[in-house]
Amino acid sequence: FFQEAAVGVAMVKGVLAEKPTVVERTDASHLPPMTESIMFKDVKFAYETQPVLETLNLEVLRGTKIGVTGESGVGKSTMAGLLLRFMDPTKGKVLIDGIDLRDVSLASLRGQMALVSQECVIFDQSVAENIACGKTDATLDEIEAAAKSANADGFIKELPEGYDTRLGENGARLSGGQRQRIAIARAF
């Protein structure tokens, strides 16, 4: 038992001692709300010696919806990681409204974004509590508006107690797609 605990403590210490790969500039500015576009300009990225993105040029105008598809390992998740600045490009720039993300504070960048992965965390609470966990003072009107934006309102109203339905551990009462819709509503 003690040996297992010591290994666990050593692992936690190792994680806490890691230096972040992305460092915020001391003179980082506040990123204003996006009004125009997100742009990947001549972006290259490699994990150590493994190239993933080679000269990516892409502009996504505000209000535009895009889908990024491809085989495993072609850089879809890397694009999201670069946009959230979990890592920086090896070369090139990621810009929002012409502002290089390396010039802005991480808090002001990430405060404008939400990441919804395929594996969503759903708590053993009500639908409303799950949606509002990112904004605990959200009103029922705000929660319902977020659910409508995520195309979740329809199936939520069909649940036994609607927005008051308890979802069970890890959303056991929902399908995978429904869990993802709840997570998207949480992001809204």
Side-chain angles (χ1 to χ4, degrees):
F1 171 76
F2 290 113
Q3 189 173 8
E4 288 177 22
V7 169
V9 167
M11 290 173 67
V12 169
K13 281 184 176 179
V15 169
L16 293 175
E18 275 190 36
K19 301 243 188 270
T21 57
V22 170
V23 179
E24 182 175 285
R25 292 176 41 169
T26 55
D27 63 343
S29 61
H30 178 81
L31 179 67
M34 185 181 92
T35 59
E36 297 171 25
S37 69
I38 295 169
M39 181 184 291
F40 291 81
K41 185 174 183 183
D42 299 323
V43 170
K44 292 184 180 187
F45 184 81
Y47 291 101
E48 306 215 359
T49 59
Q50 177 70 33
V52 178
L53 297 174
E54 288 288 336
T55 317
L56 172 64
N57 286 292
L58 171 68
E59 183 172 20
V60 181
L61 299 176
R62 184 174 187 256
T64 303
K65 295 178 184 177
I66 66 166
V68 180
T69 64
E71 295 178 25
S72 180
V74 298
K76 302 177 300 290
S77 296
T78 300
M79 288 175 63
L82 290 167
L83 184 58
L84 287 159
R85 228 179 139 221
F86 294 154
M87 65 275 252
D88 286 327
T90 309
K91 288 190 177 171
K93 299 177 182 180
V94 181
L95 309 157
I96 292 182
D97 293 344
I99 302 168
D100 191 325
L101 299 188
R102 291 173 284 210
D103 295 334
V104 301
S105 73
L106 294 172
S108 70
L109 169 66
R110 294 178 184 162
Q112 296 186 46
M113 299 192 185
L115 176 64
V116 179
S117 68
Q118 287 186 318
E119 294 301 319
C120 306
V121 176
I122 301 295
F123 302 104
D124 185 14
Q125 297 177 317
S126 72
V127 173
E129 289 168 318
N130 267 280
I131 293 172
C133 75
K135 184 180 182 210
T136 55
D137 63 341
T139 66
L140 185 55
D141 286 342
E142 290 173 315
I143 292 167
E144 288 178 358
K148 287 175 184 170
S149 294
N151 293 321
D153 184 64
F155 79 79
I156 292 170
K157 287 182 175 174
E158 292 177 5
L159 293 171
E161 296 174 54
Y163 282 85
D164 292 324
T165 302
R166 207 172 168 92
L167 296 179
E169 189 173 327
N170 206 18
R173 298 185 112 181
L174 302 175
S175 71
Q178 289 171 328
R179 285 193 297 270
Q180 205 161 31
R181 292 283 166 196
I182 297 294
I184 292 168
R186 183 184 298 153
F188 280 119

